[in-house]
Structures are given as structure tokens and as C-alpha cells.
Amino acid sequence: MRILVAGGTGLIGQRFVEMSVAAGHDVHAVVRRPDHALPCPVTLTQSPLDAALYGRVAAETSTDVMVNLLAAGVEPSDRSTERLLAANAVFPARLASCLAYSGVRAMVHLGSSAEYATQPSSEPIRETASLERERLYGATKAAGSILLQAAARAAGLPVLVLRPFNIFGAGEKPHRLFATVARRLRRGEPVDLSDGSQIRDFLWVDDACETILTAAATVLEGGMESGEYNLASGKPVSVRDFALTLARVAGADEALLHFGTVPMRPDDLPYVVADTAKLDSAIGAADRTGLEQALAAALRGMGQQGSC
């Protein structure tokens, strides 16, 4: 496949490019920073939301499928209203419209589990669940997915919206759960945590990227219908069990995990787990590694990156 990538320097983007290149695909990325570490040709731009630019690059590179991993608001410090609206709500639809006239045959867009509104019960979340209307990040991501699908349908472009849940792995931002716990455990330092009762759906970044790549190939072959798909393991795991498993895999003293020393955030939902039946039936389960082996691989990756 000839793949064009937007947002290729984040946790998922970097790993997706690396794995796609290793699998023998022709990958081209549009990036803003010249000091990137991507193992593929790139187009540099100071206007990463210029949809027409992607259309031109797609035509020049004879792109088969566009993978859009670009988003605003992944980090709490990056949540200005204007940027959230531009990157999350408006850009995906404009991108689809430009791509359709550049010979691109399909598009894969990374949404977010934050697109779902708070659910009334502790049940796995289906793709048909109600969408976020109050919190700005989730609402702009949900609006972007809706507008994207409408624009793609109008242009005759097959499009998949993959909604990731809790993706973890080497290279993630230092404030996130895996990175924080792993870094402090490796230093023999105590880790202050909430009581850990929150139930989450964790998926290793390599499994997520392999699934994105499989989905892209499948939709190109006409074997996957356009629409939304949850990108997750579908397995409920408490934050406490995640941290304890990480300590065990790392060979660290579990006593370093100080549960209950950090108050629960007001917006910390008790249960966020995906129903993955739709994705499973289309291309198979995304969770191909299992939590313990994935944590071990992620720890090795941290060591290789020197991010201990």
C-alpha cells in the first residue's frame, strides 16, 4: 500500500509509520517539525491543517489510503477552543473532500473514546452509544467524525473512524499512567496514585497500529464497511490491577505503589470499556498480545528509548 499519514509524530503515529515501513509499505508523512525521527519520506509544513496540501501530496505520491492521526487536545495544555474546533471538528471533513479528488481510494481516521457521552451504566460502550455534547474535546472529536463521514459519503470516499480507548506504550507523554508508573518504579521511587478503582480498557500501541494497518488494507479491498469502530481490547481492567501488573512485570516492589494518596479527579469516570464486537467481526480482535506481555514489551521499548 501507498500510505499518506497526518499526525505521524505522536505515540500512535510514530509507531504506525515504523511498523508500516517495516511491513514493506510505501509511507509518506506530512509533518511540521524538521527534527522528526520518522523512517520515511516527509513533506514539511507550517500549516498542518491545510487540507489542500494533503490533496496535492496524495496526488504526487499516488496515495492509496490516507491515515489521519492528527488531533488537538490530546494533552490538557493543548485545548484552546479555536484549535480544537479547527483540528478536530473541521479538518477531517475538509481533508476527505480534498483527498477524493486526488485519487485516494480510502481514508482511516483516528477518533477517540472521548467522543462518547458518559454512559448510564457499567456496560461496554457500543459504537451506537450517545455522543458527547458537553466536554469540548470529546464534542469536537465527535463532531469531526460525523462531518467527516458525511463529506466522505458525498465524495464517494470509503472512510473508517477508529475510536481508540486507553492506548499505552513506549514513547507516550510523561504525564500518562504507564509512563508515570514505569518511570518511577524503575528508579525505585514511590508512585502516588488514586485508589485505582477506575475500570479502563487498555490496548498496547503496537496492537493498535497493527489493527489500523489491517483495517486500511481491508477497506481498500472492499472488505470493511465505512463507519465507526471501537479500537480497544474490550477487556475491563482496573487502574489498580494495571499498576500492580506493571510492577510485577518490571520486577519492582509493589509497596512503591501508594494507592489512595491522590484524590480522584471530578471527571474521572468509573467505567470506560469498549464493546469490540463490530471490529472483531470485521478484521479480528485488536488485542493480540495480552496485557502482561504488552507491558513487558513496552518496558523494553522505554529502555531502548532511554526514557527511564
Side-chain angles (χ1 to χ4, degrees), residues 132-216:
E132 181 60 63
R133 294 173 177 268
E134 298 181 4
R135 290 170 291 191
L136 191 58
Y137 172 69
T140 56
K141 288 292 291 183
S145 294
I146 292 170
L147 291 170
L148 164 62
Q149 292 179 84
R153 189 176 299 112
L157 180 70
V159 63
L160 304 179
V161 175
L162 304 182
R163 290 174 173 154
F165 279 60
N166 289 76
I167 308 299
F168 71 90
E172 70 179 34
K173 297 297 183 182
H175 70 277
R176 292 178 60 83
L177 179 63
F178 167 76
T180 298
V181 176
R183 183 176 63 253
R184 295 189 70 85
L185 287 178
R186 284 192 158 187
R187 294 173 179 171
E189 299 172 350
V191 188
D192 292 334
L193 296 160
S194 68
D195 65 18
S197 61
Q198 315 94 307
I199 305 298
R200 294 293 181 264
D201 188 327
F202 296 99
L203 183 66
W204 183 34
V205 65
D206 281 35
D207 283 344
C209 291
E210 187 173 347
T211 302
I212 295 169
L213 192 57
T214 300

Side-chain angles (χ1 to χ4, degrees), residues 3-305:
I3 306 170
L4 179 59
V5 177
T9 57
L11 169 65
I12 298 176
Q14 176 86 30
R15 194 68 185 116
F16 176 77
V17 170
E18 291 170 352
M19 292 177 66
S20 298
V21 170
H25 299 289
D26 293 328
V27 182
H28 191 101
V30 176
V31 300
R32 184 172 57 85
R33 295 176 53 179
D35 60 345
H36 68 88
L38 297 178
C40 70
V42 304
T43 295
L44 293 174
T45 181
Q46 291 304 308
S47 303
L49 300 182
D50 180 1
L53 169 65
Y54 294 88
R56 293 193 296 272
V57 175
E60 292 167 0
T61 57
S62 300
T63 294
D64 295 314
V65 59
M66 172 85 209
V67 176
N68 179 38
L69 307 172
L70 189 154
V74 177
E75 294 186 57
S77 61
D78 182 31
R79 293 195 173 178
S80 75
T81 299
E82 182 176 346
R83 177 158 168 75
L84 289 173
L85 289 170
N88 296 347
V90 177
F91 173 69
R94 287 181 172 168
L95 181 59
S97 297
C98 291
L99 294 173
Y101 296 100
S102 302
V104 175
R105 296 161 51 202
M107 176 176 171
V108 177
H109 170 73
L110 202 69
S112 171
S113 61
E115 295 181 32
Y116 295 116
T118 302
Q119 303 304 304
S121 62
S122 295
E123 295 291 334
I125 301 171
R126 296 182 178 179
E127 290 84 355
T128 54
S130 57
L131 298 179
E132 181 60 63
R133 294 173 177 268
E134 298 181 4
R135 290 170 291 191
L136 191 58
Y137 172 69
T140 56
K141 288 292 291 183
S145 294
I146 292 170
L147 291 170
L148 164 62
Q149 292 179 84
R153 189 176 299 112
L157 180 70
V159 63
L160 304 179
V161 175
L162 304 182
R163 290 174 173 154
F165 279 60
N166 289 76
I167 308 299
F168 71 90
E172 70 179 34
K173 297 297 183 182
H175 70 277
R176 292 178 60 83
L177 179 63
F178 167 76
T180 298
V181 176
R183 183 176 63 253
R184 295 189 70 85
L185 287 178
R186 284 192 158 187
R187 294 173 179 171
E189 299 172 350
V191 188
D192 292 334
L193 296 160
S194 68
D195 65 18
S197 61
Q198 315 94 307
I199 305 298
R200 294 293 181 264
D201 188 327
F202 296 99
L203 183 66
W204 183 34
V205 65
D206 281 35
D207 283 344
C209 291
E210 187 173 347
T211 302
I212 295 169
L213 192 57
T214 300
T218 306
V219 72
L220 272 178
E221 297 167 356
M224 198 170 179
E225 293 185 0
S226 293
E228 308 97 339
Y229 296 82
N230 288 332
L231 178 57
S233 72
K235 300 173 182 176
V237 176
S238 70
V239 168
R240 183 184 186 90
D241 286 345
F242 181 87
L244 286 169
T245 303
L246 178 52
R248 184 170 64 253
V249 170
D253 186 354
E254 293 180 0
L256 291 171
L257 302 173
H258 293 183
F259 294 106
T261 55
V262 175
M264 202 82 77
R265 297 197 316 267
D267 63 345
D268 217 348
L269 303 177
Y271 189 95
V272 183
V273 177
D275 183 320
T276 61
K278 186 178 179 183
L279 182 74
D280 294 351
S281 64
I283 58 173
D287 183 19
R288 304 169 189 187
T289 305
L291 183 59
E292 194 159 326
Q293 291 184 31
L295 286 171
L299 285 170
R300 289 194 297 272
M302 282 187 74
Q304 292 165 3
Q305 293 176 358

